[in-house]
């Protein structure tokens, strides 16, 4: 399975986020899955890639070509694909992936997550979406999502379009089960 991971590009975050995301990358590779990500060398994108690399996993990085300067790009990808725009990057990540996972991040991470969630709600894909809630980072996010449901701004079906996990092994089991359902 090709698992797309959305996450922070910043290095200015606590060590626990790096450790848990690197472990998640290792678990992706240990289970013979492929990591697809935005090709960033820093932040949690880089941590996921380093984890997958340590377990000899396949890593597909997708980046707009204007990021290919200095040390922005994770150069040890199995496959590195450059696009002209960030919109093309997201479209390719969405099309190539069998599942999506959001790890802690900021505005760009949320934007990528909400796009695949909205597309799922609109019936444009049935791919599983999960959130890895490291160190309680997404507790307030989940509270907000429940608020949108309880106030009528989203439906129960839309809210059920993703699952949240504190444990990366349980998250991967969920993705594997859901992918099995999609293949039937």
């Amino acid at each position: 399975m090709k698992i797309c991971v959305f996450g922070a590009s910043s290095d200015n975050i606590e060590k626990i986020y790096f450790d848990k995301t690197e472990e998640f990358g290792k678990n992706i590779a240990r289970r013979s899955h492929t990591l697809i990500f935005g090709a960033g060398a820093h932040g949690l994108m880089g941590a996921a890639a380093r984890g997958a690399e340590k377990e000899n996993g396949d890593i597909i990085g997708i980046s707009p070509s204007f990021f290919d300067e200095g040390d922005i790009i994770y150069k040890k990808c199995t496959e590195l694909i450059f696009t002209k725009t960030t919109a093309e990057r997201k479209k390719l990540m969405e099309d190539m992936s069998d599942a999506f996972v959001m790890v802690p991040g900021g505005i760009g991470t949320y934007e990528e997550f909400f796009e695949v969630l909205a597309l799922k709600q609109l019936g444009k894909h049935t791919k599983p979406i999960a959130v890895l809630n490291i160190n309680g980072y997404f507790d307030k996010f989940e509270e907000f999502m429940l608020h949108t449901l309880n106030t009528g701004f989203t439906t129960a079906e839309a809210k059920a379009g993703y699952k949240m996990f504190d444990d990366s092994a349980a998250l991967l089991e969920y993705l594997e089960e859901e992918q099995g359902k999609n293949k039937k």
Side-chain angles (χ1 to χ4, degrees), residues 45-74:
M45 281 195 285
R50 286 189 300 277
E53 180 194 354
K54 286 178 181 176
E55 295 294 327
N56 298 311
D58 288 326
I59 304 166
I60 300 173
I62 304 172
S63 175
S65 57
F66 57 82
F67 282 156
D68 190 20
E69 54 185 54
D71 67 344
I72 293 174
I73 300 295
Y74 190 80

Side-chain angles (χ1 to χ4, degrees), residues 141-166:
F141 171 84
E142 187 66 2
E143 189 178 308
F144 171 73
M145 293 301 287
L146 288 170
H147 174 70
T148 64
L149 174 63
N150 294 333
T151 55
F153 286 92
T154 195
T155 64
E157 294 80 17
K159 172 67 177 76
Y162 71 93
K163 300 281 184 210
M164 187 171 303
F165 297 86
D166 296 326

Side-chain angles (χ1 to χ4, degrees), residues 80-94:
L80 187 53
I81 301 168
F82 287 103
T83 62
K84 290 182 181 177
T85 67
T86 55
E88 289 174 5
R89 169 203 205 187
K90 284 192 319 183
K91 177 78 169 109
L92 195 54
M93 290 168 69
E94 292 165 9

Side-chain angles (χ1 to χ4, degrees), residues 26-27 40-41 53 65 69 74 76-77 107 121 128 154 166 174:
K26 288 178 182 178
N27 286 336
E53 180 194 354
S65 57
E69 54 185 54
Y74 190 80
K76 296 180 181 179
C77 296
I107 299 301
Q121 179 184 359
T154 195
D166 296 326
Y174 163 75

Side-chain angles (χ1 to χ4, degrees), residues 1-67:
M1 174 177 12
K2 292 178 179 173
I3 301 172
C4 183
V5 176
F6 304 131
S9 61
S10 173
D11 284 332
N12 192 25
I13 52 181
E14 293 179 39
K15 185 177 182 305
I16 189 170
Y17 297 107
F18 290 98
D19 294 345
K20 295 289 186 178
T21 303
E22 186 172 312
E23 185 63 28
F24 179 52
K26 288 178 182 178
N27 286 336
I28 289 172
R30 287 177 187 141
R31 294 172 91 114
S32 300
H33 301 306
T34 298
L35 169 67
I36 294 180
F37 76 123
H42 298 281
L44 301 187
M45 281 195 285
R50 286 189 300 277
E53 180 194 354
K54 286 178 181 176
E55 295 294 327
N56 298 311
D58 288 326
I59 304 166
I60 300 173
I62 304 172
S63 175
S65 57
F66 57 82
F67 282 156

